[in-house]
mmCIF file of all heavy atoms in Angstrom:
data_model
loop_
_atom_site.group_PDB
_atom_site.id
_atom_site.type_symbol
_atom_site.label_atom_id
_atom_site.label_comp_id
_atom_site.label_asym_id
_atom_site.label_seq_id
_atom_site.Cartn_x
_atom_site.Cartn_y
_atom_site.Cartn_z
ATOM 1 N N MET A 202 11.228 -0.362 9.965
ATOM 2 C CA MET A 202 12.280 -1.097 9.273
ATOM 3 C C MET A 202 13.495 -0.158 9.041
ATOM 4 O O MET A 202 13.304 1.026 8.739
ATOM 5 C CB MET A 202 11.730 -1.584 7.877
ATOM 6 C CG MET A 202 12.769 -2.305 7.181
ATOM 7 S SD MET A 202 12.196 -2.888 5.527
ATOM 8 C CE MET A 202 12.553 -1.435 4.597
ATOM 9 N N VAL A 203 14.654 -0.694 9.145
ATOM 10 C CA VAL A 203 15.878 0.033 8.871
ATOM 11 C C VAL A 203 16.472 -0.631 7.611
ATOM 12 O O VAL A 203 16.628 -1.852 7.567
ATOM 13 C CB VAL A 203 16.835 -0.009 10.037
ATOM 14 C CG1 VAL A 203 18.130 0.665 9.661
ATOM 15 C CG2 VAL A 203 16.176 0.607 11.256
ATOM 16 N N THR A 204 16.840 0.178 6.688
ATOM 17 C CA THR A 204 17.408 -0.367 5.436
ATOM 18 C C THR A 204 18.325 0.693 4.790
ATOM 19 O O THR A 204 18.182 1.898 4.993
ATOM 20 C CB THR A 204 16.372 -0.793 4.426
ATOM 21 O OG1 THR A 204 17.003 -1.395 3.322
ATOM 22 C CG2 THR A 204 15.471 0.305 3.928
ATOM 23 N N HIS A 205 19.288 0.243 4.050
ATOM 24 C CA HIS A 205 20.123 1.058 3.227
ATOM 25 C C HIS A 205 19.669 0.945 1.704
ATOM 26 O O HIS A 205 20.235 1.556 0.867
ATOM 27 C CB HIS A 205 21.615 0.697 3.338
ATOM 28 C CG HIS A 205 22.143 1.046 4.654
ATOM 29 N ND1 HIS A 205 22.251 0.164 5.684
ATOM 30 C CD2 HIS A 205 22.674 2.237 5.105
ATOM 31 C CE1 HIS A 205 22.796 0.779 6.746
ATOM 32 N NE2 HIS A 205 23.043 2.053 6.418
ATOM 33 N N ASN A 206 18.659 0.159 1.524
ATOM 34 C CA ASN A 206 18.132 -0.106 0.160
ATOM 35 C C ASN A 206 17.011 0.895 -0.134
ATOM 36 O O ASN A 206 15.916 0.809 0.382
ATOM 37 C CB ASN A 206 17.645 -1.559 0.099
ATOM 38 C CG ASN A 206 17.122 -1.889 -1.311
ATOM 39 O OD1 ASN A 206 16.536 -1.076 -2.068
ATOM 40 N ND2 ASN A 206 17.395 -3.125 -1.718
ATOM 41 N N MET A 207 17.338 1.914 -0.907
ATOM 42 C CA MET A 207 16.439 3.003 -1.137
ATOM 43 C C MET A 207 15.164 2.547 -1.957
ATOM 44 O O MET A 207 14.088 3.011 -1.712
ATOM 45 C CB MET A 207 17.132 4.193 -1.931
ATOM 46 C CG MET A 207 18.214 4.805 -1.064
ATOM 47 S SD MET A 207 17.694 5.522 0.462
ATOM 48 C CE MET A 207 18.277 4.276 1.601
ATOM 49 N N GLN A 208 15.379 1.593 -2.854
ATOM 50 C CA GLN A 208 14.257 1.061 -3.593
ATOM 51 C C GLN A 208 13.278 0.387 -2.694
ATOM 52 O O GLN A 208 12.050 0.574 -2.826
ATOM 53 C CB GLN A 208 14.701 0.119 -4.688
ATOM 54 C CG GLN A 208 15.446 0.794 -5.834
ATOM 55 C CD GLN A 208 16.011 -0.159 -6.811
ATOM 56 O OE1 GLN A 208 16.289 -1.299 -6.485
ATOM 57 N NE2 GLN A 208 16.181 0.290 -8.020
ATOM 58 N N GLN A 209 13.756 -0.431 -1.743
ATOM 59 C CA GLN A 209 12.925 -1.095 -0.751
ATOM 60 C C GLN A 209 12.152 -0.078 0.092
ATOM 61 O O GLN A 209 11.001 -0.199 0.302
ATOM 62 C CB GLN A 209 13.749 -2.052 0.130
ATOM 63 C CG GLN A 209 12.988 -2.791 1.127
ATOM 64 C CD GLN A 209 12.208 -3.976 0.567
ATOM 65 O OE1 GLN A 209 11.997 -4.115 -0.624
ATOM 66 N NE2 GLN A 209 11.850 -4.862 1.486
ATOM 67 N N ALA A 210 12.854 0.875 0.610
ATOM 68 C CA ALA A 210 12.267 1.943 1.459
ATOM 69 C C ALA A 210 11.146 2.621 0.760
ATOM 70 O O ALA A 210 10.064 2.867 1.296
ATOM 71 C CB ALA A 210 13.340 2.876 1.938
ATOM 72 N N SER A 211 11.388 3.052 -0.493
ATOM 73 C CA SER A 211 10.407 3.791 -1.236
ATOM 74 C C SER A 211 9.183 2.956 -1.615
ATOM 75 O O SER A 211 8.117 3.495 -1.660
ATOM 76 C CB SER A 211 10.999 4.440 -2.499
ATOM 77 O OG SER A 211 11.361 3.414 -3.395
ATOM 78 N N ARG A 212 9.379 1.643 -1.738
ATOM 79 C CA ARG A 212 8.297 0.745 -2.114
ATOM 80 C C ARG A 212 7.371 0.348 -0.960
ATOM 81 O O ARG A 212 6.213 0.261 -1.148
ATOM 82 C CB ARG A 212 8.887 -0.490 -2.810
ATOM 83 C CG ARG A 212 7.842 -1.372 -3.386
ATOM 84 C CD ARG A 212 8.424 -2.566 -4.188
ATOM 85 N NE ARG A 212 9.086 -3.517 -3.321
ATOM 86 C CZ ARG A 212 10.418 -3.756 -3.315
ATOM 87 N NH1 ARG A 212 11.180 -3.132 -4.155
ATOM 88 N NH2 ARG A 212 10.978 -4.612 -2.477
ATOM 89 N N ILE A 213 7.905 0.168 0.252
ATOM 90 C CA ILE A 213 7.096 -0.455 1.328
ATOM 91 C C ILE A 213 6.772 0.529 2.442
ATOM 92 O O ILE A 213 6.044 0.174 3.349
ATOM 93 C CB ILE A 213 7.816 -1.663 1.903
ATOM 94 C CG1 ILE A 213 9.046 -1.302 2.637
ATOM 95 C CG2 ILE A 213 8.000 -2.716 0.808
ATOM 96 C CD1 ILE A 213 9.535 -2.401 3.478
ATOM 97 N N SER A 214 7.289 1.773 2.457
ATOM 98 C CA SER A 214 7.061 2.616 3.637
ATOM 99 C C SER A 214 6.110 3.794 3.310
ATOM 100 O O SER A 214 6.026 4.232 2.195
ATOM 101 C CB SER A 214 8.343 3.140 4.145
ATOM 102 O OG SER A 214 8.964 4.003 3.227
ATOM 103 N N ASP A 215 5.448 4.230 4.306
ATOM 104 C CA ASP A 215 4.609 5.419 4.228
ATOM 105 C C ASP A 215 5.344 6.652 4.699
ATOM 106 O O ASP A 215 5.103 7.760 4.181
ATOM 107 C CB ASP A 215 3.301 5.285 5.111
ATOM 108 C CG ASP A 215 2.434 4.149 4.635
ATOM 109 O OD1 ASP A 215 2.271 3.959 3.467
ATOM 110 O OD2 ASP A 215 1.911 3.456 5.510
ATOM 111 N N THR A 216 6.230 6.483 5.657
ATOM 112 C CA THR A 216 7.092 7.549 6.213
ATOM 113 C C THR A 216 8.522 7.161 6.169
ATOM 114 O O THR A 216 8.864 5.979 6.430
ATOM 115 C CB THR A 216 6.667 7.818 7.663
ATOM 116 O OG1 THR A 216 5.241 8.138 7.743
ATOM 117 C CG2 THR A 216 7.435 8.988 8.224
ATOM 118 N N THR A 217 9.361 8.093 5.795
ATOM 119 C CA THR A 217 10.836 7.810 5.740
ATOM 120 C C THR A 217 11.565 8.851 6.592
ATOM 121 O O THR A 217 11.206 10.045 6.551
ATOM 122 C CB THR A 217 11.324 7.866 4.333
ATOM 123 O OG1 THR A 217 10.603 6.854 3.586
ATOM 124 C CG2 THR A 217 12.788 7.669 4.219
ATOM 125 N N SER A 218 12.561 8.386 7.313
ATOM 126 C CA SER A 218 13.442 9.288 8.155
ATOM 127 C C SER A 218 14.835 9.029 7.575
ATOM 128 O O SER A 218 15.239 7.936 7.391
ATOM 129 C CB SER A 218 13.322 8.953 9.626
ATOM 130 O OG SER A 218 12.070 9.157 10.096
ATOM 131 N N PHE A 219 15.576 10.129 7.452
ATOM 132 C CA PHE A 219 16.982 10.073 7.061
ATOM 133 C C PHE A 219 17.832 10.521 8.210
ATOM 134 O O PHE A 219 17.684 11.627 8.747
ATOM 135 C CB PHE A 219 17.217 10.969 5.823
ATOM 136 C CG PHE A 219 18.649 11.115 5.417
ATOM 137 C CD1 PHE A 219 19.371 9.932 5.080
ATOM 138 C CD2 PHE A 219 19.287 12.330 5.404
ATOM 139 C CE1 PHE A 219 20.713 10.077 4.640
ATOM 140 C CE2 PHE A 219 20.596 12.429 5.011
ATOM 141 C CZ PHE A 219 21.331 11.294 4.646
ATOM 142 N N PHE A 220 18.733 9.616 8.612
ATOM 143 C CA PHE A 220 19.650 9.892 9.689
ATOM 144 C C PHE A 220 21.074 9.986 9.081
ATOM 145 O O PHE A 220 21.411 9.212 8.182
ATOM 146 C CB PHE A 220 19.691 8.786 10.718
ATOM 147 C CG PHE A 220 18.430 8.779 11.560
ATOM 148 C CD1 PHE A 220 17.227 8.163 11.088
ATOM 149 C CD2 PHE A 220 18.420 9.296 12.838
ATOM 150 C CE1 PHE A 220 16.132 8.132 11.861
ATOM 151 C CE2 PHE A 220 17.306 9.271 13.628
ATOM 152 C CZ PHE A 220 16.150 8.691 13.163
ATOM 153 N N LEU A 221 21.878 10.873 9.614
ATOM 154 C CA LEU A 221 23.300 11.053 9.214
ATOM 155 C C LEU A 221 24.108 11.138 10.457
ATOM 156 O O LEU A 221 23.835 12.009 11.321
ATOM 157 C CB LEU A 221 23.429 12.241 8.315
ATOM 158 C CG LEU A 221 24.846 12.472 7.751
ATOM 159 C CD1 LEU A 221 25.328 11.293 6.841
ATOM 160 C CD2 LEU A 221 24.856 13.771 6.999
ATOM 161 N N SER A 222 25.045 10.245 10.637
ATOM 162 C CA SER A 222 26.005 10.207 11.811
ATOM 163 C C SER A 222 25.146 10.208 13.159
ATOM 164 O O SER A 222 25.498 10.917 14.040
ATOM 165 C CB SER A 222 26.899 11.450 11.796
ATOM 166 O OG SER A 222 27.685 11.395 10.632
ATOM 167 N N GLY A 223 24.048 9.496 13.113
ATOM 168 C CA GLY A 223 23.235 9.360 14.287
ATOM 169 C C GLY A 223 22.254 10.482 14.611
ATOM 170 O O GLY A 223 21.573 10.488 15.579
ATOM 171 N N ASN A 224 22.242 11.450 13.706
ATOM 172 C CA ASN A 224 21.333 12.617 13.864
ATOM 173 C C ASN A 224 20.236 12.583 12.848
ATOM 174 O O ASN A 224 20.496 12.266 11.671
ATOM 175 C CB ASN A 224 22.114 13.919 13.710
ATOM 176 C CG ASN A 224 23.173 14.100 14.768
ATOM 177 O OD1 ASN A 224 22.864 14.012 15.975
ATOM 178 N ND2 ASN A 224 24.394 14.321 14.360
ATOM 179 N N LEU A 225 19.021 12.861 13.264
ATOM 180 C CA LEU A 225 17.898 12.899 12.362
ATOM 181 C C LEU A 225 18.027 14.193 11.478
ATOM 182 O O LEU A 225 18.055 15.326 11.972
ATOM 183 C CB LEU A 225 16.589 12.994 13.146
ATOM 184 C CG LEU A 225 15.331 13.128 12.318
ATOM 185 C CD1 LEU A 225 15.131 11.915 11.342
ATOM 186 C CD2 LEU A 225 14.091 13.298 13.198
ATOM 187 N N VAL A 226 18.102 14.000 10.202
ATOM 188 C CA VAL A 226 18.174 15.116 9.243
ATOM 189 C C VAL A 226 16.783 15.495 8.776
ATOM 190 O O VAL A 226 16.454 16.711 8.679
ATOM 191 C CB VAL A 226 19.062 14.709 8.040
ATOM 192 C CG1 VAL A 226 19.086 15.799 6.987
ATOM 193 C CG2 VAL A 226 20.501 14.390 8.482
ATOM 194 N N GLU A 227 15.950 14.515 8.439
ATOM 195 C CA GLU A 227 14.645 14.781 7.914
ATOM 196 C C GLU A 227 13.706 13.563 8.061
ATOM 197 O O GLU A 227 14.178 12.442 7.881
ATOM 198 C CB GLU A 227 14.820 15.082 6.394
ATOM 199 C CG GLU A 227 13.561 15.550 5.656
ATOM 200 C CD GLU A 227 13.792 16.053 4.300
ATOM 201 O OE1 GLU A 227 14.971 16.235 3.829
ATOM 202 O OE2 GLU A 227 12.771 16.396 3.659
ATOM 203 N N SER A 228 12.529 13.878 8.341
ATOM 204 C CA SER A 228 11.499 12.832 8.409
ATOM 205 C C SER A 228 10.179 13.344 7.799
ATOM 206 O O SER A 228 9.745 14.464 8.123
ATOM 207 C CB SER A 228 11.256 12.414 9.871
ATOM 208 O OG SER A 228 10.337 11.323 9.961
ATOM 209 N N ASN A 229 9.564 12.599 6.856
ATOM 210 C CA ASN A 229 8.370 13.098 6.206
ATOM 211 C C ASN A 229 7.769 11.883 5.507
ATOM 212 O O ASN A 229 8.261 10.731 5.549
ATOM 213 C CB ASN A 229 8.756 14.222 5.204
ATOM 214 C CG ASN A 229 7.683 15.220 5.078
ATOM 215 O OD1 ASN A 229 6.469 14.916 5.101
ATOM 216 N ND2 ASN A 229 8.069 16.438 4.829
ATOM 217 N N LYS A 230 6.627 12.147 4.798
ATOM 218 C CA LYS A 230 6.067 11.110 3.968
ATOM 219 C C LYS A 230 7.050 10.618 2.957
ATOM 220 O O LYS A 230 7.844 11.475 2.417
ATOM 221 C CB LYS A 230 4.807 11.639 3.296
ATOM 222 C CG LYS A 230 3.679 11.922 4.237
ATOM 223 C CD LYS A 230 2.436 12.370 3.540
ATOM 224 C CE LYS A 230 1.328 12.596 4.573
ATOM 225 N NZ LYS A 230 0.087 12.920 3.916
ATOM 226 N N THR A 231 7.098 9.364 2.674
ATOM 227 C CA THR A 231 8.133 8.796 1.771
ATOM 228 C C THR A 231 8.126 9.500 0.407
ATOM 229 O O THR A 231 9.186 9.794 -0.082
ATOM 230 C CB THR A 231 7.851 7.260 1.665
ATOM 231 O OG1 THR A 231 8.010 6.690 2.940
ATOM 232 C CG2 THR A 231 8.814 6.620 0.612
ATOM 233 N N LYS A 232 6.983 9.669 -0.155
ATOM 234 C CA LYS A 232 6.868 10.312 -1.467
ATOM 235 C C LYS A 232 7.604 11.717 -1.466
ATOM 236 O O LYS A 232 8.323 12.026 -2.386
ATOM 237 C CB LYS A 232 5.478 10.400 -1.950
ATOM 238 C CG LYS A 232 5.267 10.841 -3.355
ATOM 239 C CD LYS A 232 3.860 10.754 -3.784
ATOM 240 C CE LYS A 232 3.749 11.122 -5.269
ATOM 241 N NZ LYS A 232 2.356 10.940 -5.753
ATOM 242 N N LYS A 233 7.340 12.429 -0.407
ATOM 243 C CA LYS A 233 7.943 13.784 -0.282
ATOM 244 C C LYS A 233 9.434 13.670 -0.143
ATOM 245 O O LYS A 233 10.167 14.429 -0.784
ATOM 246 C CB LYS A 233 7.377 14.496 0.941
ATOM 247 C CG LYS A 233 8.042 15.770 1.397
ATOM 248 C CD LYS A 233 7.572 16.889 0.553
ATOM 249 C CE LYS A 233 8.074 18.258 1.180
ATOM 250 N NZ LYS A 233 9.102 18.865 0.399
ATOM 251 N N ILE A 234 9.913 12.766 0.689
ATOM 252 C CA ILE A 234 11.374 12.577 0.875
ATOM 253 C C ILE A 234 12.043 12.245 -0.442
ATOM 254 O O ILE A 234 13.101 12.820 -0.792
ATOM 255 C CB ILE A 234 11.695 11.471 1.920
ATOM 256 C CG1 ILE A 234 11.242 11.933 3.287
ATOM 257 C CG2 ILE A 234 13.164 11.095 1.903
ATOM 258 C CD1 ILE A 234 12.142 12.846 4.031
ATOM 259 N N PHE A 235 11.495 11.350 -1.252
ATOM 260 C CA PHE A 235 12.140 10.842 -2.429
ATOM 261 C C PHE A 235 11.991 11.796 -3.640
ATOM 262 O O PHE A 235 12.860 11.886 -4.482
ATOM 263 C CB PHE A 235 11.691 9.473 -2.780
ATOM 264 C CG PHE A 235 12.384 8.424 -1.992
ATOM 265 C CD1 PHE A 235 11.842 7.972 -0.808
ATOM 266 C CD2 PHE A 235 13.590 7.833 -2.423
ATOM 267 C CE1 PHE A 235 12.494 7.023 -0.003
ATOM 268 C CE2 PHE A 235 14.202 6.884 -1.657
ATOM 269 C CZ PHE A 235 13.673 6.430 -0.481
ATOM 270 N N LEU A 236 10.877 12.524 -3.685
ATOM 271 C CA LEU A 236 10.652 13.426 -4.841
ATOM 272 C C LEU A 236 10.986 14.853 -4.564
ATOM 273 O O LEU A 236 11.416 15.570 -5.559
ATOM 274 C CB LEU A 236 9.174 13.310 -5.245
ATOM 275 C CG LEU A 236 8.701 11.983 -5.729
ATOM 276 C CD1 LEU A 236 7.218 12.025 -6.075
ATOM 277 C CD2 LEU A 236 9.498 11.504 -6.922
ATOM 278 N N ASN A 237 10.919 15.337 -3.349
ATOM 279 C CA ASN A 237 11.170 16.766 -3.100
ATOM 280 C C ASN A 237 11.612 16.936 -1.590
ATOM 281 O O ASN A 237 10.912 17.547 -0.838
ATOM 282 C CB ASN A 237 9.935 17.581 -3.366
ATOM 283 C CG ASN A 237 10.168 19.043 -3.339
ATOM 284 O OD1 ASN A 237 11.295 19.508 -3.558
ATOM 285 N ND2 ASN A 237 9.158 19.770 -3.063
ATOM 286 N N PRO A 238 12.822 16.412 -1.245
ATOM 287 C CA PRO A 238 13.218 16.587 0.122
ATOM 288 C C PRO A 238 13.445 18.053 0.506
ATOM 289 O O PRO A 238 13.776 18.895 -0.281
ATOM 290 C CB PRO A 238 14.538 15.777 0.149
ATOM 291 C CG PRO A 238 15.085 15.787 -1.239
ATOM 292 C CD PRO A 238 13.805 15.796 -2.089
ATOM 293 N N ASP A 239 13.214 18.312 1.820
ATOM 294 C CA ASP A 239 13.372 19.665 2.305
ATOM 295 C C ASP A 239 14.834 20.005 2.570
ATOM 296 O O ASP A 239 15.218 21.179 2.526
ATOM 297 C CB ASP A 239 12.612 19.878 3.569
ATOM 298 C CG ASP A 239 11.106 19.850 3.392
ATOM 299 O OD1 ASP A 239 10.644 20.230 2.281
ATOM 300 O OD2 ASP A 239 10.333 19.415 4.329
ATOM 301 N N LYS A 240 15.616 19.006 2.946
ATOM 302 C CA LYS A 240 17.040 19.297 3.362
ATOM 303 C C LYS A 240 18.001 18.906 2.189
ATOM 304 O O LYS A 240 17.859 17.867 1.560
ATOM 305 C CB LYS A 240 17.352 18.420 4.590
ATOM 306 C CG LYS A 240 16.429 18.672 5.771
ATOM 307 C CD LYS A 240 16.659 20.013 6.398
ATOM 308 C CE LYS A 240 15.764 20.170 7.644
ATOM 309 N NZ LYS A 240 16.008 21.351 8.274
ATOM 310 N N GLU A 241 19.001 19.734 2.058
ATOM 311 C CA GLU A 241 19.950 19.504 1.008
ATOM 312 C C GLU A 241 20.770 18.240 1.296
ATOM 313 O O GLU A 241 21.124 17.493 0.326
ATOM 314 C CB GLU A 241 20.967 20.732 0.985
ATOM 315 C CG GLU A 241 21.944 20.585 -0.159
ATOM 316 C CD GLU A 241 22.807 21.886 -0.264
ATOM 317 O OE1 GLU A 241 22.505 22.871 0.304
ATOM 318 O OE2 GLU A 241 23.852 21.760 -1.021
ATOM 319 N N GLN A 242 21.034 17.896 2.590
ATOM 320 C CA GLN A 242 21.756 16.638 2.853
ATOM 321 C C GLN A 242 20.954 15.450 2.383
ATOM 322 O O GLN A 242 21.551 14.478 1.881
ATOM 323 C CB GLN A 242 22.007 16.553 4.308
ATOM 324 C CG GLN A 242 23.062 17.467 4.848
ATOM 325 C CD GLN A 242 23.205 17.394 6.398
ATOM 326 O OE1 GLN A 242 22.183 17.458 7.055
ATOM 327 N NE2 GLN A 242 24.412 17.270 6.880
ATOM 328 N N THR A 243 19.667 15.477 2.579
ATOM 329 C CA THR A 243 18.852 14.375 2.057
ATOM 330 C C THR A 243 18.873 14.248 0.584
ATOM 331 O O THR A 243 19.083 13.148 0.002
ATOM 332 C CB THR A 243 17.361 14.564 2.515
ATOM 333 O OG1 THR A 243 17.305 14.737 3.956
ATOM 334 C CG2 THR A 243 16.469 13.351 2.154
ATOM 335 N N ALA A 244 18.769 15.378 -0.108
ATOM 336 C CA ALA A 244 18.842 15.319 -1.601
ATOM 337 C C ALA A 244 20.218 14.849 -2.081
ATOM 338 O O ALA A 244 20.224 14.054 -3.027
ATOM 339 C CB ALA A 244 18.534 16.717 -2.121
ATOM 340 N N ASP A 245 21.218 15.271 -1.429
ATOM 341 C CA ASP A 245 22.573 14.872 -1.847
ATOM 342 C C ASP A 245 22.758 13.369 -1.663
ATOM 343 O O ASP A 245 23.334 12.672 -2.519
ATOM 344 C CB ASP A 245 23.623 15.566 -1.025
ATOM 345 C CG ASP A 245 23.796 17.037 -1.432
ATOM 346 O OD1 ASP A 245 23.233 17.445 -2.497
ATOM 347 O OD2 ASP A 245 24.476 17.794 -0.747
ATOM 348 N N TYR A 246 22.262 12.846 -0.535
ATOM 349 C CA TYR A 246 22.365 11.357 -0.322
ATOM 350 C C TYR A 246 21.564 10.585 -1.373
ATOM 351 O O TYR A 246 22.066 9.609 -1.938
ATOM 352 C CB TYR A 246 21.851 11.028 1.119
ATOM 353 C CG TYR A 246 22.014 9.575 1.413
ATOM 354 C CD1 TYR A 246 23.266 8.994 1.750
ATOM 355 C CD2 TYR A 246 20.934 8.669 1.297
ATOM 356 C CE1 TYR A 246 23.428 7.673 1.977
ATOM 357 C CE2 TYR A 246 21.057 7.318 1.522
ATOM 358 C CZ TYR A 246 22.295 6.822 1.882
ATOM 359 O OH TYR A 246 22.459 5.506 2.132
ATOM 360 N N LEU A 247 20.346 11.039 -1.581
ATOM 361 C CA LEU A 247 19.507 10.255 -2.558
ATOM 362 C C LEU A 247 20.027 10.357 -3.941
ATOM 363 O O LEU A 247 19.827 9.489 -4.772
ATOM 364 C CB LEU A 247 18.097 10.819 -2.463
ATOM 365 C CG LEU A 247 17.325 10.549 -1.156
ATOM 366 C CD1 LEU A 247 15.965 11.245 -1.170
ATOM 367 C CD2 LEU A 247 17.095 9.011 -1.022
ATOM 368 N N SER A 248 20.707 11.461 -4.301
ATOM 369 C CA SER A 248 21.259 11.621 -5.645
ATOM 370 C C SER A 248 22.614 10.886 -5.788
ATOM 371 O O SER A 248 23.135 10.792 -6.899
ATOM 372 C CB SER A 248 21.418 13.055 -6.008
ATOM 373 O OG SER A 248 22.467 13.685 -5.247
ATOM 374 N N GLY A 249 23.162 10.439 -4.677
ATOM 375 C CA GLY A 249 24.462 9.677 -4.768
ATOM 376 C C GLY A 249 25.656 10.587 -4.632
ATOM 377 O O GLY A 249 26.721 10.074 -4.874
ATOM 378 N N LYS A 250 25.467 11.796 -4.220
ATOM 379 C CA LYS A 250 26.624 12.688 -4.021
ATOM 380 C C LYS A 250 27.538 12.222 -2.943
ATOM 381 O O LYS A 250 28.700 12.545 -2.913
ATOM 382 C CB LYS A 250 26.162 14.124 -3.760
ATOM 383 C CG LYS A 250 25.651 14.761 -5.008
ATOM 384 C CD LYS A 250 25.380 16.260 -4.814
ATOM 385 C CE LYS A 250 24.812 16.929 -6.102
ATOM 386 N NZ LYS A 250 24.568 18.300 -5.894
ATOM 387 N N PHE A 251 26.969 11.511 -1.934
ATOM 388 C CA PHE A 251 27.770 10.861 -0.888
ATOM 389 C C PHE A 251 26.955 9.703 -0.350
ATOM 390 O O PHE A 251 25.810 9.548 -0.618
ATOM 391 C CB PHE A 251 28.081 11.855 0.207
ATOM 392 C CG PHE A 251 26.940 12.204 1.135
ATOM 393 C CD1 PHE A 251 26.718 11.472 2.311
ATOM 394 C CD2 PHE A 251 26.133 13.248 0.835
ATOM 395 C CE1 PHE A 251 25.649 11.777 3.115
ATOM 396 C CE2 PHE A 251 25.069 13.590 1.732
ATOM 397 C CZ PHE A 251 24.831 12.824 2.819
ATOM 398 N N GLY A 252 27.662 8.831 0.372
ATOM 399 C CA GLY A 252 26.967 7.686 1.020
ATOM 400 C C GLY A 252 27.159 6.377 0.353
ATOM 401 O O GLY A 252 27.585 5.769 -0.364
#
């Protein structure tokens, strides 16, 4: 599934991938992505710093 709704993604997926400008930034278990992302770009997007 592709969505821009972060609540929906966190609720229904086991794995989440974050793409930026067509490039894969990070892919991991959903819980890891939302609670402790490895990449600063992912954390910035999830926190609302951009996007």
Side-chain angles (χ1 to χ4, degrees):
M202 176 182 89
V203 175
T204 184
H205 289 94
N206 184 322
M207 297 300 102
Q208 290 174 332
Q209 179 79 341
S211 67
R212 187 174 67 246
I213 68 167
S214 63
D215 296 321
T216 303
T217 297
S218 298
F219 174 60
F220 288 82
L221 181 63
S222 300
N224 297 307
L225 177 62
V226 175
E227 184 170 357
S228 185
N229 213 324
K230 292 184 178 185
T231 297
K232 189 172 184 175
K233 169 83 169 111
I234 292 282
F235 280 90
L236 296 178
N237 188 25
D239 291 329
K240 305 289 183 173
E241 186 175 347
Q242 288 175 310
T243 306
D245 288 349
Y246 182 79
L247 292 171
S248 70
K250 287 186 179 180
F251 74 92

